[in-house]
Amino acid sequence: FDVTVVDLKDYFEYTPGVLRLFVEPDHLRNLAKPLPTKRCKVVVGEVTFIDEHSLTLRSGETLNFDYLVLATGSKYPAINAQNVVKPGAEQPSLASRAACWEAAAASLAKAESALVIGGGPVGVELAAEIASVYPHKRVTLVSRSERLCTALPDAVGTACLRWLERRNVEVLRGVSVATVRDDGVTLSNGRELSADAVYNCAGALPNTAWLDRTPLGRHVDSQSGRVLVNDFLSVEGLPHIFAVGDAMLHRRSADLKLGHTAELNAAVAAENILRLHRADQANAKAKTKPNPKTKAK
């Protein structure tokens, strides 16, 4: 295959490990590497339109494809007007990404208090990273649900709560956030919380909104915002277009959006592309065979 990777940046960053970078920015060298170019082509740019067999970049460049895999992931809330947890177009190189993490870590280091919004895996892990490295900082975690990490087994949430409370993290459960400011939040019960550093880990959304302006928009689930796929992880009626990871929704499995399941998605999509290609080759070969019922002249 001639493989082309299109991304906003020229490097890969392992998202499940990035929360450590708030307290250890040098760890980036273990999590990020330049995108490989030996066996594939890398195009740095933003896709704005997708048709059945082509896509268009913001630059105007058009790329044609026989098979397409949408792996656009999620978008996370900005921190101090910067895309920190997930890099955007303003961080196209490893150097710019490293500078972003250095700034984020420096901001946290000088803060005397930190407020983390969201009781899911991201919020819990970030609060834990801060409490581990800065045991004397005042850390508060706000969770809309009574139990932490509700998508995981009950025992996980219980263990996380105990771990955090043993390290003097104030965990507010069963309360939602009405407004978020750079210096704090207003809770739904009217209570005001302030902190030197505020991290919103509750508003991650699939990076698929731009598909509404394309023919693929009709395949986006209105509730989740994810691309609907069938059992083969391809779009119904478009067997050569696949969606994986945070970008897709397979209703029957409702898989957790984690790094592990994203890798499993990738394996399924890759295998199905190989099988489709082999089937196409076999069909093409069958069509070129002479018809045994036709006499040669």
Side-chain angles (χ1 to χ4, degrees), residues 242-297:
F242 296 80
V244 298
D246 287 10
M248 75 82 174
L249 174 63
H250 179 246
R251 284 202 173 110
R252 287 205 307 128
S253 63
D255 63 332
L256 293 174
K257 298 307 176 184
L258 303 171
H260 170 68
T261 46
E263 289 186 31
L264 296 177
N265 291 169
V268 171
E271 177 63 25
N272 284 335
I273 287 174
L274 289 172
R275 294 190 180 200
L276 280 174
H277 182 63
R278 290 172 189 149
D280 288 343
Q281 286 184 315
N283 290 335
K285 187 176 181 180
K287 289 179 181 179
T288 59
K289 289 182 178 180
N291 189 337
K293 294 181 181 180
T294 302
K295 294 181 179 180
K297 294 182 179 179

Side-chain angles (χ1 to χ4, degrees), residues 185-200:
V185 299
T186 302
L187 302 180
S188 55
N189 59 13
R191 180 181 173 184
E192 297 282 346
L193 298 178
S194 61
D196 298 325
V198 179
Y199 303 100
N200 187 357

Side-chain angles (χ1 to χ4, degrees), residues 25 27 45 55 68 73 121 132 146 164 173 271 275:
H27 187 50
L55 57 83
L68 175 69
S132 294
E146 285 288 344
L164 291 168
R173 294 175 292 152
E271 177 63 25
R275 294 190 180 200

Side-chain angles (χ1 to χ4, degrees), residues 5-78:
V5 178
V6 182
D7 205 330
L8 293 171
K9 56 198 188 310
D10 63 6
Y11 57 92
F12 169 79
E13 182 182 76
Y14 184 63
T15 302
V18 301
L19 298 177
R20 174 66 54 84
L21 302 177
F22 279 102
V23 297
E24 189 184 334
D26 288 345
H27 187 50
L28 180 64
R29 63 176 179 268
N30 301 317
L31 299 178
K33 302 293 179 185
L35 288 173
T37 57
K38 185 176 180 179
R39 299 176 64 182
C40 64
K41 178 183 178 183
V42 173
V43 174
V44 177
E46 181 182 0
V47 179
T48 57
F49 191 82
I50 292 179
D51 215 331
E52 192 167 338
H53 282 287
S54 66
L55 57 83
T56 305
L57 305 181
R58 187 167 296 282
S59 64
E61 181 181 1
T62 299
L63 302 175
N64 298 320
F65 59 82
D66 296 308
Y67 305 98
L68 175 69
V69 180
L70 287 169
T72 51
S74 290
K75 299 184 74 172
Y76 291 81

Side-chain angles (χ1 to χ4, degrees), residues 30 37 79 109-110 120 128 143 175 177 181 245 263:
N30 301 317
T37 57
I79 298 172
K110 68 181 182 181
S143 172
V175 59
V177 173
R181 306 181 306 277
E263 289 186 31

Side-chain angles (χ1 to χ4, degrees), residues 22-188:
F22 279 102
V23 297
E24 189 184 334
D26 288 345
H27 187 50
L28 180 64
R29 63 176 179 268
N30 301 317
L31 299 178
K33 302 293 179 185
L35 288 173
T37 57
K38 185 176 180 179
R39 299 176 64 182
C40 64
K41 178 183 178 183
V42 173
V43 174
V44 177
E46 181 182 0
V47 179
T48 57
F49 191 82
I50 292 179
D51 215 331
E52 192 167 338
H53 282 287
S54 66
L55 57 83
T56 305
L57 305 181
R58 187 167 296 282
S59 64
E61 181 181 1
T62 299
L63 302 175
N64 298 320
F65 59 82
D66 296 308
Y67 305 98
L68 175 69
V69 180
L70 287 169
T72 51
S74 290
K75 299 184 74 172
Y76 291 81
I79 298 172
N80 295 329
Q82 270 212 316
N83 293 308
V84 180
V85 176
K86 198 71 178 283
E90 76 283 359
Q91 300 164 42
S93 67
L94 267 175
S96 58
R97 187 58 171 156
C100 172
W101 279 120
E102 289 287 350
S107 178
L108 173 59
K110 68 181 182 181
E112 294 183 4
S113 57
L115 174 62
V116 181
I117 306 164
V122 176
V124 168
E125 185 177 340
L126 179 54
E129 292 284 8
I130 299 171
S132 294
V133 176
Y134 300 111
H136 301 299
K137 289 188 189 295
R138 178 169 57 86
V139 182
T140 303
L141 175 68
V142 180
S143 172
R144 183 172 58 183
S145 61
E146 285 288 344
R147 184 166 61 85
L148 301 180
C149 301
T150 54
L152 301 175
D154 290 357
V156 175
T158 301
C160 289
L161 178 62
R162 289 174 179 170
W163 192 97
L164 291 168
E165 290 183 337
R166 282 200 303 267
R167 287 156 181 82
N168 299 316
V169 175
E170 182 184 11
V171 182
L172 304 179
R173 294 175 292 152
V175 59
S176 58
V177 173
T179 58
V180 181
R181 306 181 306 277
D182 290 341
D183 62 347
V185 299
T186 302
L187 302 180
S188 55

Side-chain angles (χ1 to χ4, degrees), residues 205-261:
L205 296 171
N207 185 19
T208 55
W210 57 280
L211 288 173
D212 290 343
R213 303 184 297 273
T214 76
L216 279 179
R218 66 180 184 275
H219 297 284
V220 175
D221 177 59
S222 59
Q223 290 187 321
S224 68
R226 294 187 166 97
V227 180
L228 289 166
V229 297
N230 54 28
D231 289 352
F232 307 101
L233 300 191
S234 62
V235 177
E236 203 63 53
L238 298 169
H240 62 294
I241 296 181
F242 296 80
V244 298
D246 287 10
M248 75 82 174
L249 174 63
H250 179 246
R251 284 202 173 110
R252 287 205 307 128
S253 63
D255 63 332
L256 293 174
K257 298 307 176 184
L258 303 171
H260 170 68
T261 46

